[in-house]
Amino acid sequence: MNPALDITTETETVRCTEKMRCGTARYDPGGGGINVARVIQALGGTATAVFPAGGTAGTHILELLRRRDSPTWPVWIDRPTRESFTVNELSTGKQYRFVLPGPAMTADDQERCLNALRGAAEGARYVVASGSLAPGLSPDLYQQVAELCATLGVSLILDTSGRGLRNIRSNVFLLKASVREIEDLMGRELPDDQTRVTAAREIIDRGITRMVLMSCGAAGALLVRADRAQRFAAVPVTGRSGVGAGDAMVAAVVTGLSRDWSMEESMRLGIAAGAAMTLTPGTEVCRIEDVERLFDTAPHPEAIEVQRRTPAS
């Protein structure tokens, strides 16, 4: 619901107030849902990207997707789609990411997006709702998406943060979030596996979701269900860019599930795809040969034992 035209370039050193000469810019269609759809396609799956588009940036995103033969369902809006800007500093290897808020959307824009989703999701197995909410959208938009998916009998995988995450109440099959995003939601720090699993189970107990996938950066990820919790170690790689790694993980997980793989094997594919995404420049999608190679070395999950607290009488 808030796509972006991703622009990536490089310069020797980033300095305050100085004019910095940059290399040739790379343009990619971006935003959580679009990234997920692109990686699913790269892995041999089929996904349709449903997104609002406006102005020159929105037209450019659609052109880039069509060049890649990516199925799309754009919803045209009056205000221009945002751009995001990433600069790689060659002297240090650091990456600087500048993200704009996005266009203000109207109630009519929102309704047309929901109607587009209703049409695109008819007969689908999964819907992935991913990314931030553009200004002007209802804070409970993703809850409306969840209810729409429940009506259609489609499983919803949700990857969002902020107000989109705070206003979800039910009907999510798999909730994916980072440790920081779960900390923001719960209003407390989660320094270790024990506290993270406990927080995830609180979310499950509220009836929000059946499973929580919590990304932990270099420490890998946790998969928490009501009856068990598992730790998936990261695959060590020397990456070039962290942009889109979480989206690649989600895309690979849903790809595995759509192939009727177990949740554990789908998660291992997700860990491999997330690592493979760091090997590509900017927001270029991961290469299937990298994903397959890293999947072969991805560790199997380790069970986490967490004692449930007994409510005080």
Side-chain angles (χ1 to χ4, degrees):
M1 292 303 297
N2 200 11
L5 178 64
D6 288 331
I7 306 169
T8 304
T9 187
E10 58 189 26
T11 191
E12 185 62 27
T13 306
V14 176
R15 295 187 180 92
C16 176
T17 73
E18 292 189 22
K19 189 178 291 185
M20 292 164 286
R21 302 293 179 183
C22 298
T24 303
R26 175 186 175 89
Y27 295 86
D28 288 296
I34 288 176
N35 290 339
V36 169
R38 292 174 63 207
V39 173
I40 289 173
Q41 185 178 21
L43 295 177
T46 302
T48 298
V50 181
F51 59 95
T56 303
T59 301
H60 197 172
I61 287 174
L62 189 60
E63 289 174 352
L64 289 169
L65 289 170
R66 286 177 173 169
R67 287 178 201 167
R68 297 166 170 82
D69 295 322
S70 300
T72 60
W73 196 314
V75 177
W76 292 101
I77 60 175
D78 290 336
R79 300 198 177 196
T81 298
R82 65 179 175 154
E83 297 177 350
S84 66
F85 192 58
T86 298
V87 179
N88 295 316
E89 187 179 49
L90 298 176
S91 60
T92 64
K94 292 181 178 179
Q95 185 177 79
Y96 297 85
R97 299 167 64 180
F98 304 88
V99 181
L100 299 176
M105 293 178 62
T106 66
D108 178 66
D109 294 332
Q110 176 172 305
E111 190 60 31
R112 290 188 296 115
C113 287
L114 287 171
N115 287 336
L117 175 60
R118 186 177 290 106
E122 190 74 43
R125 293 186 64 184
Y126 297 95
V127 163
V128 178
S130 178
S132 61
L133 294 177
L137 292 174
S138 173
D140 72 343
L141 175 64
Y142 283 140
Q143 181 59 41
Q144 296 181 49
V145 170
E147 291 165 2
L148 172 60
C149 289
T151 300
L152 295 174
V154 181
S155 295
L156 173 64
I157 297 173
L158 178 64
D159 181 5
T160 189
S161 59
R163 62 194 181 110
L165 182 55
R166 289 192 300 271
N167 287 278
I168 192 74
R169 300 182 301 276
S170 62
N171 294 320
V172 177
F173 171 70
L174 174 66
L175 176 66
K176 186 268 180 186
S178 67
V179 172
R180 179 184 54 78
E181 290 163 348
I182 296 294
E183 288 178 333
D184 290 344
L185 176 64
M186 305 305 290
R188 64 180 189 264
E189 293 185 357
L190 305 172
D192 51 37
D193 285 352
Q194 302 289 306
T195 56
R196 293 167 185 174
V197 171
T198 297
R201 283 189 171 148
E202 288 179 28
I203 294 170
I204 293 169
D205 290 345
R206 293 178 192 173
I208 292 173
T209 184
R210 289 173 54 186
M211 292 178 278
V212 174
L213 165 55
M214 195 180 307
S215 56
C216 307
L222 303 179
L223 178 66
V224 183
R225 288 170 271 198
D227 60 344
R228 61 191 181 279
Q230 296 165 299
R231 180 192 299 106
F232 291 79
V235 179
V237 293
T238 303
R240 300 172 61 184
S241 170
V243 179
D247 297 327
M249 175 190 287
V250 171
V253 168
V254 74
T255 298
L257 292 174
S258 69
R259 296 172 179 169
D260 295 320
W261 290 10
S262 69
M263 192 65 209
E264 285 74 16
E265 288 301 281
S266 299
M267 276 290 303
R268 291 181 63 239
L269 186 65
I271 292 289
M277 194 71 175
T278 69
L279 301 177
T280 60
T283 53
E284 180 182 338
V285 297
C286 50
R287 294 179 291 268
I288 190 168
E289 56 268 29
D290 289 333
V291 177
E292 291 173 345
R293 173 175 56 83
L294 295 172
F295 176 69
D296 288 338
T297 63
H300 289 273
E302 176 186 349
I304 304 172
E305 298 298 332
V306 177
Q307 186 67 38
R308 278 185 175 270
R309 292 181 180 178
T310 303
S313 0

